[in-house]
Amino acid sequence: MKESFVLCSSCFSNQGLKISAQKLGTKSNTSCKGCNESKGYKLTKSILNDLAHQFFVMGSSIKSDYGGAPRIQFNEHQETSIICTDDINQDIKLFEKYLGVGFFHYGPRLWTLGYITPLEELQDENKRMYIIKRIINEYPIFELNSSKVFYRLRVEPSEPSNIGEYDSSPFPGKGRLDSKDFKVFYASQDLEVCIHECRVSVTDELYVATVRPAKSLKMLDLSTSISEQCTEFESLNISLVMLFYAGKHSYEILRLLSLEAYEKGFDGIIFPSFFTQARLGKLPLPSIYQSLDNRIDEFREIEISGKIPNIAIFGQPIEDKRVEVVSINKLVLNRVVYDYFFGPADVN
Ligand SMILES: [Zn+2]
């Protein structure tokens, strides 16, 4: 039986909820049972449930130093005990009426906020080297050979046709894996990842070098997951994902990891990209961290997209002739698209 419409986007008071309801709803000229208007996008009970999850659960997610979790949950067993802005409080009554649910403050499982033993040990100067060594020993080696081409983007190089412009930055120490006196060449098989990682704007003059290894390069593959027999609270996989998705405060740990991989004879590191996840609609938020099984599937990025998200090669591989430049092109940004959804501005 076809599910009937219970209300429409015009029934809502909050602008974010109205727009989200338009995006999720169905266009139909029938008049709404809720507000009597006919031009709103109509929602069935199950779409209304999706809207509640997107707006209140996903939309209330907050990031901690490592990881993140929603502040709100809802179910059929609890009465509403949160207070939002007036318009949202008004709209909550609609969800209560049609879904029979209540909204409440959510106490997340602590590991989703980064309380994971290996991750905590990585933040402890006295314990971090042990975990770094474990990571290097336990994650697989990926042989990057000349059959793989990848891209290196430069913003406003002074001599765009000079291949030397595309080597590692001569001023290391600002990125995730490079440090003072330790240069790292960053590239990706996914041009959109390059564009995103370089934080380019539409007014920038962009150039891209297509490169490939001149010989087989021994890479430490941290974009995949290893098989683990432990709880989320001890997981090295989740620790690494959270580490790579964290902000600048994670760099001192990642730089040590990078130096140690170099000492152990690796040519570089392959690592996950926040942007790939965001583009595939898989933000590194609770829905991904929720289950260990899902996470393992979702973080096999190379298998999903067929493209290696982020490649970091130690030293100056173009000058050392470990990497050769195949082509150089000017890159023109034509269109930039953002996807988004809404959440409440505040919750009490
Ligand atoms: Zn309506």
Side-chain angles (χ1 to χ4, degrees):
M1 203 180 76
K2 226 179 107 192
E3 226 187 320
S4 56
F5 298 126
V6 291
L7 45 64
C8 80
S9 54
S10 304
C11 291
F12 294 101
S13 307
N14 177 261
Q15 186 68 7
L17 270 168
K18 266 189 219 270
I19 295 172
S20 298
Q22 285 169 5
K23 289 171 121 185
L24 295 173
T26 309
K27 202 166 170 42
S28 152
N29 290 325
T30 55
S31 67
C32 169
K33 293 184 195 114
C35 67
N36 288 323
E37 273 201 45
S38 58
K39 62 180 197 301
Y41 286 70
K42 310 295 186 299
L43 308 184
T44 61
K45 215 176 139 177
S46 48
I47 298 291
L48 189 63
N49 194 72
D50 290 347
L51 176 61
H53 184 81
Q54 186 193 68
F55 189 85
F56 291 99
V57 181
M58 299 302 287
S60 70
S61 290
I62 42 160
K63 270 181 78 87
S64 49
D65 269 0
Y66 296 96
R71 296 171 67 192
I72 304 174
Q73 258 305 351
F74 67 96
N75 64 28
E76 290 165 0
H77 311 292
Q78 298 205 32
E79 305 252 300
T80 295
S81 53
I82 56 165
I83 301 169
C84 299
T85 48
D86 290 348
D87 53 348
I88 294 173
N89 293 335
Q90 199 63 40
D91 291 338
I92 282 177
K93 295 196 173 78
L94 296 173
F95 291 96
E96 291 173 337
K97 180 177 170 189
Y98 292 102
L99 296 178
V101 297
F103 296 84
F104 52 91
H105 288 277
Y106 177 63
R109 293 202 283 162
L110 285 176
W111 67 266
T112 62
L113 298 174
Y115 294 95
I116 303 173
T117 308
L119 185 57
E120 289 174 310
E121 290 179 351
L122 282 167
Q123 294 165 71
D124 181 334
E125 280 179 38
N126 298 316
K127 296 181 179 166
R128 59 174 53 146
M129 278 322 286
Y130 169 71
I131 303 295
I132 285 174
K133 288 186 159 81
R134 263 194 70 193
I135 292 168
I136 292 170
N137 287 330
E138 293 180 30
Y139 279 80
I141 294 169
F142 187 91
E143 293 285 343
L144 199 60
N145 59 40
S146 57
S147 70
K148 299 259 190 302
V149 297
F150 41 93
Y151 306 105
R152 163 91 171 144
L153 195 68
R154 279 295 318 274
V155 179
E156 292 170 17
S158 46
E159 266 185 280
S161 60
N162 173 4
I163 61 166
E165 293 278 359
Y166 301 89
D167 217 335
S168 313
S169 164
F171 310 106
K174 298 187 194 79
R176 257 195 202 93
L177 300 168
D178 55 276
S179 37
K180 197 174 171 293
D181 303 323
F182 186 65
K183 294 175 186 170
V184 173
F185 173 92
Y186 296 97
S188 175
Q189 283 200 306
D190 186 335
L191 256 176
E192 290 185 42
V193 170
C194 295
I195 293 166
H196 175 79
E197 295 277 339
C198 284
R199 313 256 188 285
V200 302
S201 74
V202 280
T203 54
D204 290 332
E205 284 273 316
L206 303 176
Y207 291 85
V208 62
T210 306
V211 300
R212 70 171 166 229
K215 56 175 199 159
S216 183
L217 300 176
K218 184 183 164 192
M219 309 293 287
L220 177 65
D221 186 4
L222 304 181
S223 72
T224 188
S225 47
I226 54 172
S227 95
E228 294 187 301
Q229 308 292 327
C230 62
T231 68
E232 289 93 339
F233 288 97
E234 282 112 35
S235 168
L236 204 51
N237 284 328
I238 303 177
S239 297
L240 262 184
V241 166
M242 286 181 175
L243 193 62
F244 276 106
Y245 287 163
K248 290 216 159 89
H249 56 274
S250 67
Y251 287 12
E252 74 169 310
I253 300 166
L254 289 169
R255 287 167 182 171
L256 284 172
L257 171 61
S258 169
L259 276 167
E260 185 66 15
Y262 171 73
E263 293 289 330
K264 289 286 177 293
F266 283 92
D267 287 297
I269 293 176
I270 288 172
F271 59 100
S273 163
F274 169 81
F275 179 67
T276 308
Q277 297 302 322
R279 188 150 51 88
L280 294 171
K282 296 171 184 163
L283 284 166
L285 282 170
S287 61
I288 285 190
Y289 293 142
Q290 247 156 29
S291 120
L292 209 60
D293 293 337
N294 284 344
R295 186 186 44 71
I296 283 173
D297 288 341
E298 301 201 356
F299 281 96
R300 291 197 184 281
E301 291 189 48
I302 295 180
E303 286 103 299
I304 288 173
S305 64
K307 290 173 178 170
I308 301 171
N310 280 305
I311 298 169
I313 302 172
F314 305 141
Q316 290 182 285
I318 293 178
E319 188 173 289
D320 301 345
K321 301 200 166 28
R322 280 180 295 152
V323 160
E324 59 183 355
V325 176
V326 181
S327 303
I328 293 173
N329 290 93
K330 186 174 164 67
L331 184 80
V332 183
L333 285 189
N334 200 18
R335 194 167 69 108
V336 180
V337 181
Y338 291 101
D339 194 19
Y340 54 85
F341 58 87
F342 298 90
D346 198 14
V347 194
N348 287 300

